[in-house]
Amino acid sequence: MHAGALASAHWADADGTEHVGVLGDGVHFVTIEDPATLGHDDLRGCYGKGYTSVPPAPPLEGPGNGLSPLAGHGTWTTGTVCGTGTASAGHYRGLAPQSKVLFYVGVGSDPGKRALQQGFLDDFDPPVVTASTVVPPHEAFLPLADGADVLVTWAAGNEGGDGAEAFASDAKGDPRVLVVAATQWDGTAVATYSSRGAGSDPTTWPHLSAVGCHIVAIPRTQPGSSTPYADALAGSTPQGCRPLDANERLAMLTGSYQQVTGTSFAAPSVAAAAVLMAQVNPAIATADLRTLLLNTTDVFLPTADKDGDGAVTRHDFWLEHGYAAGRGLLNVTAAVTAAHYMARHGATAEEGLACAAVGLEDGALRLNPGPRCIWPPTTEVPPASLNHTGPPEAGTGNASSASSTSQPSRGQSAGSPALPLLASALLVAWRRARHHR
């Protein structure tokens, strides 16, 4: 969860309507998880609607009604996206604290699973599904097999590796699935536990990275007790994470939260970014969500000019570090700014990547200041990035982009466009149970 109040945000629509803040208002997301303690102060406002995979599996209406009162792995992952920060007076909160979770408990194959999950899509048109489990995406979220137009963020796993063989979760070449690796808490290195792909096979590589060490999270409790699990208490140094110094540790401790680690929460951090993108651009297509997320990432590791074009670009980063880190570190502000540009100007994803800008006015962020940029430019058009199953074409710095999609609009009905304020995803959890990532 993000430590510190969100910065201010301010922009105006073409009709002059002023907006402040982007927090996921009006947007739903789906999580495939085990139970969450939705009665926690930080999750009371998150609950949209839920189903349980335990028979008789009726729809459950109302905050936490029918879901387990015991906190599980789902408490951590859900708080990554929509934790409100109520217990810390707004100091620690998720990336999209006004979004609503559609909760599917469990990853089994009960008979009503497909219909229940399809109901989420039909009733709420969520832009993204997130899960942190070893169960393959197409088995955990069955509507994918039926052609569901939704982005899925999947934890890469916590098996580490050195590139000699593939350990990362396999997207099976599905362009709707993004596999997410985890970094150190300050985004300076890939966490050693984060599962790598095989260096010789780019189809096994994660797609991008998000922060995954020393994350402040809503606590989960032991069965039959209100006592937090000891294996995730604040103050520990999780395996594969750089130890914190005394000042850093003190800054991250709080009585109402835990400190946790894992790719389990790197995935929902990317999902939260997609939620914010859907708020500022309610009609954005799944393919464009993917394009913007993958082509606004930050090059966060030392990188050589691998392709010899005289510049270090995201393409060079992918060639050198892609087996561990994908296309780079999630940059929420850049992705949402590009999505907002598309909505404001009726632009393509390619235009959004090339033309989106954030201006500073009186200490506030303003999206897309000034007139629409001239497109195409008179010099060079950024090349389209290819599907993850093949190497991306070389781009120029952070402007490498992908061509627009002819896919029909999702038609998401959400609140007024607004601006995100975080530059990287934050909440991650560590789960050693074998069915979790």
Side-chain angles (χ1 to χ4, degrees):
M1 302 178 77
H2 177 55
L6 295 178
S8 60
H10 178 208
W11 71 96
D13 287 342
D15 63 2
T17 302
E18 298 278 328
H19 301 279
V20 176
V22 74
L23 303 172
D25 184 38
V27 183
H28 290 76
F29 69 97
V30 178
T31 183
I32 310 298
E33 264 295 357
D34 63 1
T37 299
L38 297 179
H40 187 282
D41 287 345
D42 280 17
L43 292 181
R44 290 182 189 277
C46 284
Y47 189 76
K49 187 174 183 180
Y51 295 106
T52 174
S53 62
V54 180
L60 305 173
E61 307 283 356
N65 183 22
L67 294 181
S68 171
L70 304 176
H73 190 261
T75 302
W76 292 337
T77 55
T78 303
T80 310
V81 184
C82 62
T84 62
T86 300
S88 60
H91 190 65
Y92 296 101
R93 56 179 172 176
L95 283 167
Q98 290 184 7
S99 62
K100 300 295 183 183
V101 61
L102 304 171
F103 215 100
Y104 187 88
V105 181
V107 292
S109 56
D110 56 280
K113 180 177 181 179
R114 177 177 264 103
L116 294 176
Q117 293 180 339
Q118 185 62 46
F120 285 154
L121 302 181
D122 295 341
D123 295 343
F124 299 96
D125 195 19
V128 64
V129 174
T130 187
S132 299
T133 170
V134 298
V135 179
H138 295 78
E139 295 179 23
F141 193 70
L142 298 180
L144 281 177
D146 301 326
D149 181 24
V150 64
L151 186 72
V152 180
T153 63
W154 220 260
N158 301 323
E159 284 77 37
D162 58 6
E165 57 182 312
F167 288 100
S169 301
D170 189 355
K172 303 295 184 183
D174 191 327
R176 297 167 296 177
V177 179
L178 292 179
V179 176
V180 186
T183 73
Q184 296 289 338
W185 72 275
D186 55 2
T188 57
V190 179
T192 57
Y193 66 77
S194 185
S195 294
R196 274 67 167 167
S200 60
D201 184 3
T203 66
T204 67
W205 298 359
H207 293 88
L208 75 167
S209 300
V211 174
C213 279
H214 300 297
I215 301 303
V216 176
I218 297 169
R220 61 193 182 95
T221 55
Q222 301 183 55
S225 169
S226 60
T227 304
Y229 272 109
D231 64 355
L233 287 176
S236 63
T237 298
Q239 182 179 3
C241 292
R242 178 178 65 79
L244 300 174
D245 64 31
N247 290 331
E248 292 167 341
R249 188 182 301 283
L250 181 63
M252 298 184 76
L253 298 184
T254 173
S256 299
Y257 299 89
Q258 292 178 309
Q259 184 187 106
V260 292
T261 286
T263 60
S264 283
F265 283 66
S269 294
V270 176
V275 164
L276 300 181
M277 294 164 75
Q279 182 182 351
V280 301
N281 187 346
I284 191 168
T286 298
D288 288 338
L289 285 172
R290 174 193 173 94
T291 291
L292 299 189
L293 286 166
L294 293 184
N295 288 282
T296 54
T297 51
D298 291 331
V299 173
F300 68 100
L301 300 172
T303 301
D305 179 12
K306 303 292 287 186
D307 55 17
D309 65 356
V312 174
T313 66
R314 189 176 296 106
H315 177 57
D316 295 312
F317 181 92
W318 189 82
L319 291 173
E320 186 169 348
H321 304 292
Y323 77 97
R327 297 294 300 274
L329 183 64
L330 171 69
N331 186 322
V332 180
T333 299
V336 181
T337 302
H340 182 262
Y341 187 91
M342 290 177 63
R344 183 170 183 180
H345 297 292
T348 64
E350 187 175 52
E351 291 175 299
L353 288 165
C355 300
V358 176
L360 298 175
E361 296 185 7
D362 301 326
L365 292 171
R366 181 180 289 273
L367 280 177
N368 312 137
R372 181 177 181 179
C373 78
I374 299 173
W375 184 264
T378 56
T379 54
E380 178 182 342
V381 177
S385 66
L386 302 181
N387 189 300
H388 185 66
T389 54
E393 294 184 14
T396 54
N398 286 341
S400 63
S401 62
S403 58
S404 61
T405 175
S406 59
Q407 187 170 329
S409 166
R410 288 179 40 256
Q412 166 84 12
S413 175
S416 299
L419 168 71
L421 309 162
L422 302 177
S424 63
L426 299 164
L427 178 62
V428 184
W430 176 259
R431 176 73 163 175
R432 291 193 176 100
R434 63 184 179 85
H435 66 289
H436 282 122
R437 286 296 192 186

